[in-house]
Amino acid sequence: MRRSAPARTALVLAALALGLTGCATAAGDQDPAATSAAPTGSAGPELTGELTVYAAASLKGAFDELATDFEQQHPSLDVQPITYDGSSTLATQIIEGAPADVFASADEKNMQKVVDAGLASGPELFASNTLVLVVPAGNPGGVTGLDDLADPELIIVLCAAEVPCGAASTTLLSNAGVTADVDSYEQNVTAVLTKVAAGEADAGLVYVTDAATTVDIDTVEVDGADAVVNHYPIAALSGSANSDAADAFVAFVLGGKGQEVLASFGFAAP
């Protein structure tokens, strides 16, 4: 039966309305279950495999926490126990072929060695640190300042000159006009701190971050320490076997959460 023009118009309008309703449902009224199933922050590939990080000894507390947080965010990734040592030692190991994915140095000099070897590019600064004088709890040697490091009757330990904390110590002492009577030079700041805390030395120079997290020591503030600042760079290594994870970890350290953790351990901004 032939329909009248008004009737045909009504049918067309009804069909259009039905179609628009269907589009709105598809675009704006998705199943809540389907929406909630989409993972948050899942842009890019899921991180898998292993991640190996080499980091300066002074970073141990902060980087252990960062590694745990990062691994929790990426449950399919296995972050290996971080290798900690003096930055010069780590740089040498990396240049000689150690299978690291990320290098975090306590100074720019040792990072530059790795860059010059073609093993990293574009390192970025992520933290800074200064020195403090530490003595065993109770200060049995009666140390009051840098001048006392020249006393031959005291046992003094410092980081070796090629290690970032040693280079900073040399600069600090030179600026103060003090020639220290050193009994032992150590290859990383942890070794200096361990000897002082154990009472095997009367004094040593370490980073403020290490002193803040160590028991059995007292600290002696020294003038001029704020003028000798170590800046910490980090880079994903060009020979990384897991470049996606390496890049992501570097970004994590540089990001808000990473900076928050570093600050909680006493590190200053880059």
Side-chain angles (χ1 to χ4, degrees):
M1 179 175 66
R2 184 185 179 89
R3 298 182 185 274
S4 65
R8 289 199 303 270
T9 301
L11 287 172
V12 170
L13 290 174
L16 285 173
L18 184 59
L20 289 172
T21 301
C23 290
T25 302
D29 297 328
Q30 292 179 0
D31 182 353
T35 302
S36 62
T40 302
S42 59
E46 180 182 1
L47 300 180
T48 60
E50 296 181 350
L51 178 69
T52 301
V53 177
Y54 277 33
S58 55
L59 290 167
K60 185 176 185 344
F63 264 45
D64 278 351
E65 183 170 329
L66 287 172
T68 297
D69 291 347
F70 188 69
E71 196 171 47
Q72 288 175 348
Q73 290 186 14
H74 304 283
S76 296
L77 179 69
D78 181 15
V79 180
Q80 297 295 292
I82 296 177
T83 297
Y84 296 106
D85 210 327
S87 297
S88 59
T89 299
L90 297 176
T92 298
Q93 292 174 349
I94 291 169
I95 292 169
E96 291 178 350
D101 299 303
V102 173
F103 178 38
S105 174
D107 69 348
E108 296 171 89
K109 177 182 176 181
N110 283 290
M111 176 62 78
Q112 191 60 44
K113 294 177 184 178
V114 176
V115 172
D116 290 343
L119 299 175
S121 62
E124 297 188 66
L125 299 179
F126 67 93
S128 62
N129 217 343
T130 54
L131 296 173
V132 68
L133 189 58
V134 291
V135 297
N139 194 8
V143 175
T144 60
L146 289 177
D147 288 344
D148 291 320
L149 300 188
D151 187 345
E153 295 186 3
L154 296 177
I155 299 175
I156 307 301
V157 292
L158 297 177
C159 291
E162 66 271 15
V163 181
C165 66
S169 297
T170 299
T171 300
L172 180 61
L173 290 166
S174 176
N175 290 349
V178 174
T179 301
D181 190 315
V182 182
D183 294 274
S184 176
Y185 288 102
E186 306 299 328
Q187 288 303 308
N188 59 63
V189 68
T190 303
V192 173
L193 199 57
T194 298
K195 285 195 171 184
V196 174
E200 297 174 11
D202 293 302
L205 285 166
V206 302
Y207 295 119
V208 295
T209 53
D210 295 284
T213 56
T214 304
V215 296
D216 298 328
I217 58 105
D218 291 332
T219 60
V220 178
E221 297 296 329
V222 293
D223 292 336
D226 58 347
V228 182
V229 181
N230 275 45
H231 298 281
Y232 287 56
I234 188 170
L237 298 173
S238 55
S240 170
N242 195 345
S243 58
D244 286 340
D247 289 341
F249 184 76
V250 170
F252 180 67
V253 172
L254 294 168
K257 176 61 176 178
Q259 293 298 297
E260 179 183 322
V261 170
L262 287 160
S264 74
F265 279 85
F267 287 93

